[in-house]
Each structure stands twice: as structure tokens, then as C-alpha cells.
């Protein structure tokens, strides 16, 4: 019983490291898709007359996507059978740890399988099984950010009709303000 618990603890540690690695990759996936959303919104803003607040909403969505990408895998519980299967595949152990979880120690085969798995227990080194590094999406995210930064210096394209409409609205607003001032002065007099 003690040996089985020790194997389960080793598998839990490997599962924790695997979960953190998946969360790390999820963070970068969320960051990438958020950066892509930001770039798309920026391109649309530069080409079409959409409000400036849409860029703020895209930034908020970008942040939310990054956090969700991190938390998505982080809150999942660890499945020992899935972790055992993964460790068996990574170490080339031919279902040794998966079988330990399936058989009970009280059975004859359970003790044989448990003793066999104990001999390979030193191969489970979570630090060696999973190395943390930047995923390829991180490189693409940096490229998207560089394009966004470059696009920030490009002036917005607006049609002549849109610019004329903006000028007319400004004149109407200015005229309205002057009219309000004039009416207030007349009332005072």
C-alpha cells in the first residue's frame, strides 16, 4: 500500500508540472489570439471610421484572453490515469504506471506490476520530463506586436465624404454653443 501511494505521489508531482506547462502554453495561446484581435481591430480602425473606444475594448479582450488562457488549464484537476499514460509514453515504459493504477495490490498480478513499476520509479523526474521554454506562438505574438506598433504610426484613412461630414458636425456643434451663449446673454439683459 505504501509503495502504491509513493507511485501516486510521484505521478501527482509529474501531473502538477504538466499542468503548469499546459497553463504556460495556454497563456501564450491567449496572448497570441488577443494580439491578433488587437491587430485586426487596429487595421479596421485605420481603414473604417469606428470609434476609438473599440481599441480599448480590444485591449480589454486581449487581457482577458491571456488570463483565461492561463487559468483554463490551471484549474483543471489532475487525472492520475491520464498522467500515468503520459509518463509511460514519455519514458517508454510500456503501460507500467497505467497498469499500477488499474490493478489492486491484493491481487497476485497487482503486486507483480507494482514491483515492476517501482523498479522504474527513478525515471519519473518531472523536471526532466517537461522543460519550460517559450512556445512558437510567443515568436508570432512578438511579430504581431511589431506590426501593430508600426501600424500605429500610419494615419487613419478617412474618405472625403466622411471628413466633410465631420467638419459639418463640428460647425453645427460650434454654432449650437454660440447660440446657447447668445440666448443666455439675451436672457440676462
Amino acid at each position: 500500500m505504501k509503495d502504491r501511494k509513493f507511485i501516486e505521489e510521484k505521478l501527482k508531482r509529474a501531473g502538477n508540472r504538466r499542468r503548469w506547462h499546459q497553463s504556460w502554453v495556454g497563456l501564450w495561446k491567449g496572448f497570441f489570439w488577443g494580439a491578433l484581435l488587437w491587430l485586426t481591430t487596429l487595421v479596421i480602425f485605420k481603414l473604417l471610421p469606428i470609434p476609438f473606444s473599440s481599441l480599448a475594448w480590444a485591449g480589454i479582450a486581449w487581457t482577458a484572453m491571456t488570463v483565461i488562457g492561463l487559468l483554463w488549464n490551471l484549474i483543471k484537476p489532475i487525472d492520475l490515469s491520464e498522467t500515468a499514460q503520459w509518463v509511460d509514453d514519455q519514458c517508454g515504459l510500456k503501460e507500467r504506471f497505467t497498469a499500477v493504477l488499474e490493478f489492486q495490490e491484493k491481487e497476485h498480478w497487482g503486486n507483480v506490476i507494482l514491483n515492476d513499476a517501482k523498479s522504474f520509479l527513478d525515471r519519473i523526474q518531472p523536471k526532466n520530463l517537461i522543460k519550460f521554454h517559450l512556445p512558437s506562438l510567443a515568436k508570432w505574438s512578438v511579430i504581431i506586436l511589431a506590426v501593430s506598433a508600426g501600424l500605429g504610426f500610419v494615419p487613419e484613412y478617412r474618405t472625403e465624404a466622411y471628413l466633410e461630414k465631420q467638419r459639418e458636425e463640428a460647425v453645427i456643434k460650434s454654432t449650437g454653443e454660440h447660440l446657447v451663449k447668445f440666448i443666455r446673454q439675451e436672457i440676462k439683459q
Side-chain angles (χ1 to χ4, degrees), residues 125-154:
Q125 299 297 327
K127 291 180 182 176
N128 295 337
L129 289 175
I130 297 176
K131 304 270 190 219
F132 279 86
H133 60 279
L134 286 176
S136 62
L137 285 177
K139 175 181 72 171
W140 289 105
S141 298
V142 170
I143 291 171
I144 288 173
L145 290 177
V147 170
S148 296
L151 195 58
F153 293 107
V154 175

Side-chain angles (χ1 to χ4, degrees), residues 92-142:
L93 296 178
K94 300 182 181 174
E95 310 296 323
R96 282 184 171 87
F97 290 109
T98 307
V100 165
L101 296 178
E102 290 176 2
F103 285 98
Q104 298 297 324
E105 285 185 58
K106 296 173 185 168
E107 300 173 15
H108 171 69
W109 284 105
N111 286 328
V112 173
I113 291 171
L114 185 63
N115 290 333
D116 181 42
K118 276 191 337 186
S119 64
F120 290 98
L121 201 56
D122 59 335
R123 288 195 189 180
I124 302 179
Q125 299 297 327
K127 291 180 182 176
N128 295 337
L129 289 175
I130 297 176
K131 304 270 190 219
F132 279 86
H133 60 279
L134 286 176
S136 62
L137 285 177
K139 175 181 72 171
W140 289 105
S141 298
V142 170

Side-chain angles (χ1 to χ4, degrees), residues 19-20 23 67-78:
R19 180 173 54 180
W20 278 104
S23 297
V67 171
I68 289 170
L70 173 71
L71 295 178
W72 186 261
N73 291 312
L74 199 58
I75 61 174
K76 283 184 183 177
I78 298 172

